[in-house]
Amino acid sequence: MKQAIGFIDSGVGGLTVVREVLKQLPHEQVYYLGDTARCPYGPRDKEEVAQFTWEMTNFLVDRGIKMLVIACNTATAAALYDIREKLDIPVIGVIQPGSRAALKATRNNKIGVLGTLGTVESMAYPTALKGLNRRVEVDSLACPKFVSVVESGEYKSAIAKKVVAESLLPLKSTNIDTVILGCTHYPLLKPIIENFMGDGVSVINSGEETASEVSALLDYHNLLEATDEEIEHRFFTTGSTQIFKDIAKDWLNMPDMTVEHIKLGK
């Protein structure tokens, strides 16, 4: 019997990681939970985010997942190490993989990080980046409006272009050559962000690097799925199933997908 890889996120953003994993590991089954009813996580305090992250984790662990991907930067910063310590399955986040990808891309060691307020205040990216390369200079910028633009399905609209231009203006005067999309919602805005930042700036989607780490860890633990058995991916949300489905179908190219509504917490 197949065992799924579990993905958790504050909303639809983690689907950007799922897409990369399914590209690299097409035989794997995915269980995904997006806590859209309580999204965004960015403005919440660390303890509350950790509590919500554990609630999502326990929901998927109860369904027999073989690995957990915390596909949310805010949740990774708040709870990764605690969850990794307490679960007996492999657990990965998105901050370390994104940091490694940015250090590979930068030419001048000047990196920008776009994230939620919670991720920026946690200093998780500067800590990870400087832990790998002490010479790197990091400019972090909170972009609180980005998540709501994505969650509302407006990520290709004129509104999105306006929000991106207004939010990223402070970075235009810096000499960064690489930007990390430090929230898994942000890759849905990547074309607009790339256009605004210009050709000289590499924009890093940590999903690709995270997918490579998922593959390596599954291989190490002898958990890779090799059979062509039929796959039934499962998607859960605490919010609107229709909005979730519209975005997920577009992003994952799964026209027949079903989304189940669940409740978490009290």
Side-chain angles (χ1 to χ4, degrees):
M1 184 179 137
K2 276 185 185 283
Q3 271 188 293
I5 305 169
F7 294 80
I8 56 174
D9 182 54
S10 62
V12 297
L15 295 171
T16 61
V17 182
V18 170
R19 183 163 91 158
E20 297 302 330
V21 168
L22 290 178
K23 272 186 202 169
Q24 292 186 31
L25 300 166
H27 298 302
E28 294 295 340
Q29 184 176 29
V30 163
Y31 284 6
Y32 181 97
L33 170 53
D35 190 12
T36 46
R38 299 185 293 194
C39 185
Y41 279 10
R44 297 180 184 274
D45 64 52
K46 182 181 176 181
E47 290 70 25
E48 188 173 42
V49 172
Q51 178 196 325
F52 291 175
T53 306
W54 265 113
E55 287 172 7
M56 290 192 289
T57 296
N58 290 331
F59 179 87
L60 290 185
V61 167
D62 287 347
R63 278 146 190 82
I65 58 171
K66 63 182 178 181
M67 171 188 241
L68 178 69
V69 181
I70 305 178
C72 172
N73 288 266
T74 308
T76 296
L80 171 66
Y81 295 107
D82 185 42
I83 291 173
R84 183 181 277 163
E85 192 177 297
K86 290 172 180 168
L87 292 191
D88 58 3
I89 57 172
V91 181
I92 67 171
V94 284
I95 290 172
Q96 283 287 345
S99 298
R100 283 195 294 273
L103 289 169
K104 284 181 198 169
T106 185
R107 302 173 303 282
N108 67 3
N109 283 332
K110 292 175 171 55
I111 295 173
V113 176
L114 311 182
T116 66
L117 194 60
T119 299
V120 169
E121 287 182 347
S122 76
M123 296 295 290
Y125 271 102
T127 301
L129 288 161
K130 288 179 182 293
L132 295 164
N133 179 351
R134 281 182 298 173
R135 293 171 300 164
V136 76
E137 294 175 24
V138 184
D139 272 302
S140 298
L141 181 67
C143 304
K145 294 181 180 176
F146 283 13
V147 171
S148 55
V149 168
V150 170
E151 288 285 333
S152 64
E154 295 280 353
Y155 52 92
K156 295 179 181 176
S157 69
I159 293 169
K161 288 182 183 175
K162 183 172 184 287
V163 168
V164 166
E166 289 173 353
S167 300
L168 300 191
L169 196 57
L171 285 184
K172 288 290 271 189
S173 58
T174 68
N175 56 356
I176 59 169
D177 73 349
T178 304
V179 168
I180 300 173
L181 302 180
C183 171
T184 51
H185 284 76
Y186 296 1
L188 285 100
L189 295 166
K190 187 179 179 185
I192 299 173
I193 293 169
E194 284 179 324
N195 186 58
F196 182 80
M197 293 305 297
D199 292 339
V201 178
S202 301
V203 179
I204 303 298
N205 168 8
S206 61
E208 293 169 19
E209 196 81 5
T210 303
S212 298
E213 192 155 310
V214 167
S215 178
L217 260 179
L218 289 176
D219 187 36
Y220 177 78
H221 290 282
N222 200 28
L223 293 170
L224 275 172
E225 184 58 63
T227 68
D228 282 329
E229 225 178 283
E230 194 172 334
I231 300 170
E232 186 189 348
H233 302 303
R234 296 185 71 183
F235 297 90
F236 307 92
T237 179
T238 58
S240 163
T241 55
Q242 192 56 54
I243 293 172
F244 185 100
K245 191 186 292 187
D246 289 344
I247 295 169
K249 282 196 300 188
D250 176 43
W251 193 248
L252 298 178
N253 193 26
M254 288 185 184
D256 300 322
M257 72 182 300
T258 58
V259 181
E260 302 170 53
H261 181 269
I262 64 152
K263 285 188 177 179
L264 292 175
K266 295 173 184 175

